[in-house]
Amino acid sequence: MIRQTSSFQESSTGKLYLVPTPIGNLNDMTPRAVEVLQAADLIAAEDTRNTQRLLNHFEITTPQISFHEYNTRERVPQLVAKLQAGENIAQVSDAGMPSISDPGRELVAACTQQGIPVIPLPGPNAALTALIASGIAPQPFLFYGFLPRKKGALAAAIAQLANERPTLIFYEAPHRLAKTLTALADGLGAERSVCLCRELTKRYEEFLRGTLADAVEWTKDATIRGEFVIIVAGNEHPTAQKEPQEQGSLTEQVDRLIASERLRPTDAIKRVAKQNGLKKQAVYNEYHGLNKE
């Protein structure tokens, strides 16, 4: 059954506004975004200290409440209750679009289930900003976000993407950039075109273009600073992929689920334990190497 809500219909509840915030340059804040933050009863912010600097700049006095990945379970029912009581809430992340590699998805899902209007505002987004300046085909594209950190899961995720025709978009922190680029070169091919986009819209905005091999070589001597968006050309000549083996070690099974279904490690471990008739703790210990002497 289709559930229909209109952003601007009369409602007995409050409304949830999803408000993008600048990814660097404060002048990218739209007048509408400022108006919504001023008019809201409450701002749900990923980091209230970070958001307070933004609010101070635009002289916004709306109160805040923290809403981040570590308190989602607690906060979602609280925020839904406030919305059902008639309060309007604006949700923001530290930079860019809520829900895009940031908190927000669970709150939106809860609101849609309860018939609470969800109103998205357009605004800054690092992935698309990088894509249009990269010089690599802008469409179709596949946005992945942050790749897994664990070596096995990282390799498995990249293997899943190796035959994708669309341009690939990743986010990465500076201290993991070299490791990620090396894994991408190994898994996708060192000659794939890439554009490294860092410090977008900020004073030291920079674009580095070349192959993945060039990018890996650059990381060996460069001082790596700033948040990165990695744009990688898609595979123009995909080959038939081998079907993944159903079994494998427990660690391989967990990594496969993380890569193919974007599960959190804890959720993947739980599923693998169930599939193999094992206790979750046993799979957890095996995956994290706690069984080794």
Side-chain angles (χ1 to χ4, degrees):
M1 178 179 176
I2 296 293
R3 296 192 298 271
Q4 182 178 10
T5 59
S6 172
S7 297
F8 301 102
Q9 69 186 17
E10 289 298 323
S11 174
S12 59
T13 70
K15 296 177 180 178
L16 173 66
Y17 292 86
L18 304 177
V19 183
T21 55
I23 58 177
N25 192 321
L26 291 179
N27 289 328
D28 292 332
M29 190 75 169
T30 67
R32 184 183 176 203
V34 173
E35 290 173 4
V36 166
L37 293 181
Q38 289 173 330
D41 296 298
L42 183 66
I43 297 172
E46 182 179 4
D47 185 329
T48 55
R49 295 168 298 180
N50 183 69
T51 300
Q52 190 60 53
R53 290 192 287 270
L54 178 73
L55 301 183
N56 291 342
H57 181 83
F58 291 101
E59 299 181 352
I60 298 169
T61 59
T62 306
Q64 296 188 72
I65 186 172
S66 65
F67 178 55
H68 47 72
E69 63 176 318
Y70 301 109
N71 68 1
T72 298
R73 286 189 179 181
E74 172 190 354
R75 281 286 190 257
V76 167
Q78 295 172 353
L79 295 172
V80 168
K82 290 179 180 294
L83 288 159
Q84 290 175 324
E87 293 187 37
N88 291 321
I89 297 176
Q91 197 242 318
V92 301
S93 59
D94 284 349
M97 291 275 186
S99 295
I100 303 298
S101 294
D102 279 323
R105 181 180 63 84
E106 292 87 353
L107 179 57
V108 170
C111 287
T112 58
Q113 290 169 3
Q114 297 297 323
I116 297 169
V118 177
I119 304 176
L121 276 63
N125 173 263
L128 294 182
T129 301
L131 178 64
I132 62 174
S134 67
I136 296 173
Q139 59 192 43
F141 67 84
L142 190 160
F143 173 74
Y144 192 97
F146 288 97
L147 284 158
R149 298 185 184 184
K150 197 169 185 290
K151 185 176 180 179
L154 174 63
I158 293 172
Q160 291 281 337
L161 299 170
N163 269 347
E164 291 287 350
R165 287 182 179 272
T167 295
L168 306 174
I169 306 178
F170 306 98
Y171 287 164
E172 195 51 277
H175 63 282
R176 291 196 300 270
L177 182 69
K179 175 183 175 182
T180 296
L181 289 174
T182 298
L184 286 170
D186 290 342
L188 302 181
E191 295 308 309
R192 284 274 193 112
S193 295
V194 66
C195 181
L196 306 182
C197 315
R198 76 176 192 95
E199 295 292 271
L200 290 170
T201 78
K202 300 177 183 178
R203 180 180 179 183
Y204 296 106
E205 177 180 88
E206 187 175 18
F207 301 91
L208 299 105
R209 300 176 176 90
T211 65
L212 282 168
D214 295 330
V216 170
E217 191 65 27
W218 173 78
T219 63
K220 294 178 181 178
D221 298 316
T223 301
I224 303 174
R225 295 172 179 166
E227 300 298 315
F228 283 81
V229 181
I230 305 171
I231 310 291
V232 183
N235 190 341
E236 296 180 359
H237 305 288
T239 57
Q241 286 183 295
K242 296 179 180 179
E243 290 296 322
Q245 296 179 354
E246 288 300 319
Q247 296 301 319
S249 70
L250 295 176
T251 295
E252 289 171 343
Q253 292 178 52
V254 173
D255 285 339
R256 192 180 303 130
L257 284 174
I258 293 172
S260 62
E261 300 188 29
R262 304 291 298 276
L263 294 181
R264 295 178 180 178
T266 52
D267 294 329
I269 288 170
K270 183 177 180 180
R271 187 183 297 185
V272 169
K274 183 176 181 180
Q275 290 172 346
N276 289 272
L278 299 170
K279 291 184 178 180
K280 178 182 174 181
Q281 189 64 45
V283 179
Y284 179 93
N285 290 345
E286 178 68 22
Y287 186 69
H288 291 286
L290 301 180
N291 291 332
K292 299 176 182 179
E293 295 183 358

